Amino acid sequence: MLFTVAQSGNEGTVAGRRRNMDELQSEIQELFADLWQVPGFSGLRQGFRPQCDCFRTDDPPALHVVLELPGLDPGTVEIVVTGRSFVVAGARERPLATGARYQQMEIEYGPFQRRIELGDDVDPARASASYERGLLKVVLPLADRVATEARIAIEVRT
């Protein structure tokens, strides 16, 4: 992992340092989450950790979050935005296989929660979410001004 320090004049501001700390914290959280993916530690985990992409567009200005959630009922997924934190939670239930004796069990089931620290202020009141072919796609329009700390739930459309 490579860390670089920007040499621009405005990176020394408190806001710039806070943004860098948020990015570092997010990278550390991802590192620890990846550690639990190692097979030797897999017995300690419960549930699963869906894979995620997060990217920004300028036209329109928005953050996009895409999560792999195959085999889920989208009505059971909870999406919450609080300040610059994005949280998606739910559970993927193992299908009932009456009389089955498993030979191999690799698909992870159970509860999950993904927390993503957003790098920008968003307007959760204008957010939208859709679920199609196992992908949950959330669009978070960037806020025109700094948003107040409020917990806002986002409804998923299928």
Side-chain angles (χ1 to χ4, degrees):
M1 188 177 302
L2 177 66
F3 294 97
T4 58
V5 177
Q7 298 297 321
S8 68
N10 53 352
E11 282 299 315
T13 65
V14 173
R17 277 188 235 146
R18 176 67 186 157
R19 189 170 305 126
N20 289 340
M21 290 301 294
D22 287 343
E23 290 171 6
L24 179 61
Q25 179 183 8
S26 178
E27 289 176 10
I28 290 171
Q29 287 173 346
E30 288 294 318
L31 179 65
F32 276 102
D34 289 343
L35 174 67
W36 296 118
Q37 295 285 344
V38 176
F41 291 104
S42 62
L44 302 174
R45 296 178 61 226
Q46 292 186 0
F48 72 104
R49 186 169 189 275
Q51 298 297 306
C52 172
D53 286 344
C54 184
F55 60 92
R56 179 182 171 157
T57 57
D58 291 329
D59 190 19
L63 290 175
H64 299 256
V65 181
V66 181
L67 287 109
E68 286 184 329
L69 296 174
L72 233 217
D73 174 9
T76 64
V77 175
E78 180 183 10
I79 304 170
V80 177
V81 176
T82 306
R84 286 189 171 186
S85 287
F86 171 87
V87 177
V88 61
R92 180 166 62 183
E93 301 299 326
R94 182 176 301 279
L96 182 61
T98 329
R101 289 178 307 232
Y102 282 92
Q103 174 181 320
Q104 195 161 334
M105 292 178 70
E106 295 181 1
I107 300 172
E108 295 178 338
Y109 292 93
F112 69 89
Q113 181 182 43
R114 281 298 305 260
R115 176 180 303 274
I116 299 165
E117 297 302 322
L118 305 172
D120 295 293
D121 289 314
V122 296
D123 183 357
R126 296 187 299 137
S128 64
S130 62
Y131 181 81
E132 183 179 347
R133 295 182 4 210
L135 293 176
L136 174 65
K137 298 176 183 180
V138 182
V139 179
L140 301 159
L142 295 181
D144 295 332
R145 56 183 165 65
V146 176
T148 60
E149 292 290 323
R151 180 181 165 115
I152 304 215
I154 301 169
E155 183 180 331
V156 179
R157 290 186 327 259
T158 54

